[in-house]
Amino acid sequence: VHYEVLLRPLAETHADAPQITTRDLLSVAERLQRITEIDRWVFRHLIGWMREHPEQVGAVGGFAIKLSGQSVVNPLFLNYLLAELGRGDLPTHKMIFTLSEIAAVEGHSQAQHFIRQLQRLGCKIMLDEFGLGTSSYTTLKTLKLDYLKIDRSLVRELASSLIDEAIVRSILETCAFLDIKTIAGFVENEDTEAKLREMGIQYIQGYLISEPVALSDLLLTEAHANSTAAQVAGVSG
């Protein structure tokens, strides 16, 4: 079982005041060039939890941490990651750093350096939102990836769209040739799950598997583990 680390802002507001969403928070932070601070905060809290709960970490296949494009090209942020991971007290092979396709393309040379440095320490790299951009297969040729997550727009209607099925089959075939593990996110019904399994997807993620849970509540009991199929990704936030 793998987990993706999600962010949910909590704020004390008046009862009639609108609640801030994660998307709004990240949009503002990115516009103000402050999103790397959020990425750093998420990483710091995750590794703090991992250091306090080694038994639970041992039962998890990996933790996916999505990073902004600004963080990927920020040398100070990379130095921070390398310093923390270089201490040797974390299972770096369970750290999966996730880049969006757009971020990887726009900061190509910096992204390549970022990937090389983290993989040197045993970390894994995942490309997210694949199929959304226009340079998908070129990106696959030039970046050394461990995982690839197919964009939700290709998964949502997969069970009923022959076009989406053809595209996803092409992606799976290419990834198999390049030895990249594949993930389908936003799987919300059994028809989509069955179609993906028939097509040979390696991991699925979505509300069909698990709704988000607080990281502090992530207790991998035997009952929880038995309720989730092997090689199926859940979500936590």
Side-chain angles (χ1 to χ4, degrees):
V1 179
H2 292 61
Y3 289 89
E4 179 177 11
V5 181
L6 306 175
L7 185 67
R8 184 181 68 176
L10 298 175
E12 295 182 4
T13 61
H14 297 293
D16 57 346
Q19 296 293 318
I20 186 172
T21 67
T22 305
R23 179 175 296 181
D24 291 339
L25 173 66
L26 297 181
S27 177
V28 172
E30 190 166 22
R31 187 167 64 250
L32 298 177
Q33 302 287 310
R34 301 288 296 274
I35 197 167
T36 296
E37 296 176 34
I38 294 179
D39 286 344
R40 184 176 178 133
W41 183 92
V42 170
F43 178 76
R44 185 174 71 250
H45 279 267
L46 174 63
I47 62 175
W49 181 87
M50 293 176 69
R51 285 168 173 151
E52 292 175 1
H53 303 87
E55 292 185 2
Q56 288 164 263
V57 173
V60 174
F63 294 93
I65 311 160
K66 187 169 184 176
L67 301 177
S68 68
Q70 293 178 20
S71 296
V72 172
V73 300
N74 187 326
L76 295 179
F77 180 72
L78 176 59
N79 289 340
Y80 167 69
L81 294 181
L82 296 177
E84 288 292 339
L85 297 171
R87 291 170 57 176
D89 62 340
L90 292 169
T92 54
H93 65 286
K94 295 190 177 187
M95 309 292 287
I96 306 171
F97 290 96
T98 306
L99 289 63
S100 71
E101 182 187 346
I102 295 174
V105 171
E106 291 182 351
H108 189 261
S109 60
Q110 296 98 323
Q112 286 186 318
H113 176 69
F114 183 90
I115 290 171
R116 285 195 300 268
Q117 292 299 308
L118 291 176
Q119 287 180 330
R120 184 173 57 84
L121 294 179
C123 301
K124 309 298 183 182
I125 300 295
M126 178 164 69
L127 190 66
D128 197 10
E129 302 173 357
F130 187 81
L132 181 64
T134 58
S135 304
S136 299
Y137 288 96
T138 301
T139 304
L140 288 187
K141 288 172 58 178
T142 56
L143 295 178
K144 182 175 173 56
L145 302 171
D146 301 288
Y147 296 92
L148 178 144
K149 183 186 287 188
I150 300 170
D151 186 68
R152 71 180 78 179
S153 64
L154 296 173
V155 176
R156 187 174 290 129
E157 300 179 2
L158 182 64
S160 59
S161 172
L162 293 178
I163 295 176
D164 289 347
E165 178 181 346
I167 295 172
V168 172
R169 287 190 184 278
S170 174
I171 293 172
L172 295 178
E173 182 178 351
T174 303
C175 287
F177 180 79
L178 296 173
D179 196 25
I180 300 173
K181 296 181 176 66
T182 51
I183 304 167
F186 297 90
V187 179
E188 299 181 350
N189 60 71
E190 293 180 355
D191 289 342
T192 302
E193 178 193 17
K195 189 66 176 180
L196 286 163
R197 290 187 182 278
E198 178 268 321
M199 295 171 68
I201 198 78
Q202 290 165 297
Y203 295 85
I204 63 173
Q205 175 187 21
Y207 280 10
L208 181 66
I209 306 302
S210 171
E211 293 188 7
V213 297
L215 188 60
S216 59
D217 296 334
L218 186 61
L219 301 175
L220 291 180
T221 62
E222 182 178 354
H224 176 86
N226 288 339
S227 68
T228 308
Q231 285 208 332
V232 171
V235 293
S236 67

